[in-house]
Amino acid sequence: MSELDRLAADYWEAFLERHPVHATSLGDRRFDDRLEDDSPAGRAAWARQLDELAQRLAALPEGGDTVTRAALAEALRTDRAFLDADLGSFSVDPMDGIQVALLGIPSYQPLRTAAEADALLARWRAMPAALDVAIERLRAGLRDGRTGVATPVAKVIEQIDDLLARPDADWPLATPGEQAPEIRDELHRVIGEEIRPAYQRYRSFLAEELAPHARPDDRPGMLHVPGGEDGYRLLARAHTSLDTPPEEIHAIGLAEIERIDGEFVELGARLLDTDDLAATLRTLREDPALHFATRDEVFETAVRSLARANAAIPAWFGRLPKAPCEVVR
């Protein structure tokens, strides 16, 4: 194994250990008992690891596998960008926030052995601390004048209220008890006595401390928080791997919106008998005939769409996935 290959392997091992839930989702079950450590100490440790790996890469002689070298350099730069942007200190996200991410873990952490059941319980017991760390990161951001946006904050509060209204046995986190009945009672106890109070604490912080100081909805971008412009540039580079200035990326987006709006007008005239963009959007939003009527319709449409996609995959890709993609209600 070359020194570059060894360094790439060391990076990947460090990355999986830093992101244990991601490791589980990939099928690496070594870290099933833990969650990502977003405490100040945990984040500082990850920064030191990234710096050390970057220094090792810079010290390697030129030549060799240029693709691996470039990919590793980009991965290190991207990881550092996400770390330095520090989104968790001000972003409250109803789609991918911690209140959602924790609930999704059972869908990709199946139980096959007693050891995996023990690891799952350990991970579940770590959830209250993870929620408390999230609170402290947002509280620190609030002290620095960095806050979430009003409507997403309100939506997250609504999500948590819906969750808290359910009995413990109906939480998504309780579903592993169906696979392993021997841990069902302990699972329900951990949810009821440890995780539920943590969600209540998170909800109370959002409603009582953060919401009164949330940014108005007309100031949603990172540019409206201290240090946000630098963070935006870091993330634009991380997401695109390009050095294109964010202003140019924004201009591309505006041009694309204009193009898409033109397609809306053309399709609206042809399919909905509307004559401008506003009328087309109003019809799409308000005509009941164009909406799902039940949750079952949403699910069945997703199943049919996935079936069509699966049927088309062989025509586009030579290497096909072994694990099936499934629609989960």
Side-chain angles (χ1 to χ4, degrees):
M1 177 183 289
S2 70
E3 188 61 30
L4 178 60
D5 288 341
R6 189 174 296 108
L7 177 56
D10 288 347
Y11 161 73
W12 184 239
E13 184 71 11
F15 181 89
L16 292 176
E17 191 166 2
R18 167 65 186 170
H19 303 92
V21 175
H22 184 65
T24 299
S25 73
L26 296 178
D28 187 335
R29 308 300 300 274
R30 293 175 296 159
F31 313 107
D32 281 3
D33 60 341
R34 65 192 82 169
L35 296 169
E36 186 169 322
D37 182 3
D38 271 331
S39 68
R43 291 170 55 78
W46 181 228
R48 288 193 298 271
Q49 282 186 291
L50 292 174
D51 289 345
E52 178 189 351
L53 291 164
Q55 290 165 8
R56 287 173 58 189
L57 181 62
L60 292 180
E62 294 296 327
D65 184 349
T66 57
V67 173
T68 297
R69 179 188 289 270
L72 180 55
E74 191 63 40
L76 291 169
R77 182 171 181 171
T78 296
D79 289 346
R80 190 57 194 250
F82 280 108
L83 186 66
D84 291 345
D86 198 14
L87 289 176
S89 66
F90 62 87
S91 178
V92 180
D93 186 350
M95 293 183 65
D96 297 315
I98 188 173
Q99 79 288 345
V100 173
L102 294 179
L103 301 181
I105 295 176
S107 66
Y108 46 82
Q109 187 168 349
L111 300 181
R112 301 164 298 189
T113 67
E116 289 181 348
D118 290 341
L120 182 141
L121 284 172
R123 175 171 274 172
W124 266 229
R125 294 187 186 107
M127 289 181 180
L131 284 161
D132 289 339
V133 167
I135 292 172
E136 288 308 311
R137 290 187 68 194
L138 290 169
R139 186 173 279 141
L142 180 59
R143 288 195 296 267
D144 294 338
R146 295 175 293 160
T147 64
V149 182
T151 291
V153 171
K155 288 183 178 296
V156 171
I157 293 171
E158 291 175 8
Q159 287 177 334
I160 298 175
D161 284 342
D162 177 73
L163 182 67
L164 293 175
R166 306 183 197 180
D168 300 338
D170 287 348
W171 280 39
L173 294 174
T175 55
E178 300 169 7
Q179 295 176 269
E182 66 276 10
I183 68 167
R184 184 184 298 133
D185 290 345
E186 176 61 9
L187 198 60
H188 291 178
R189 187 200 67 77
V190 171
I191 293 170
E193 298 180 12
E194 300 177 35
I195 300 176
R196 178 183 288 273
Y199 268 90
Q200 290 170 332
R201 291 193 296 274
Y202 189 59
R203 192 257 184 220
S204 295
F205 166 78
L206 294 178
E208 298 168 12
E209 297 184 44
L210 188 60
H213 303 284
R215 277 178 287 146
D217 291 339
D218 61 357
R219 300 180 67 212
M222 289 180 65
L223 299 181
H224 298 294
V225 299
E229 184 171 353
D230 291 338
Y232 191 95
R233 293 183 184 279
L234 286 172
L235 294 181
R237 177 61 174 74
H239 280 293
T240 65
S241 76
L242 302 174
D243 291 315
T244 306
E247 294 81 3
E248 290 186 24
I249 297 174
H250 184 64
I252 293 170
L254 292 176
E256 186 67 5
I257 289 173
E258 184 177 359
R259 182 190 67 79
I260 292 171
D261 284 350
E263 289 191 9
F264 267 116
V265 173
E266 188 275 325
L267 288 169
R270 178 156 51 88
L271 301 176
L272 303 176
D273 198 28
T274 54
D275 54 10
D276 61 18
L277 180 63
T280 299
L281 295 178
R282 186 167 55 252
T283 300
L284 290 172
R285 290 167 178 158
E286 298 178 4
D287 186 349
L290 301 177
H291 296 175
F292 291 112
T294 67
R295 295 164 63 97
D296 287 340
E297 286 184 10
V298 177
F299 179 78
E300 290 160 4
T301 300
V303 170
R304 290 194 301 271
S305 299
L306 178 59
R308 291 198 303 274
N310 283 334
I313 286 176
W316 292 89
F317 300 98
R319 180 177 296 176
L320 303 180
K322 295 179 180 179
C325 181
E326 299 177 359
V327 178
V328 178
R329 195 179 289 270

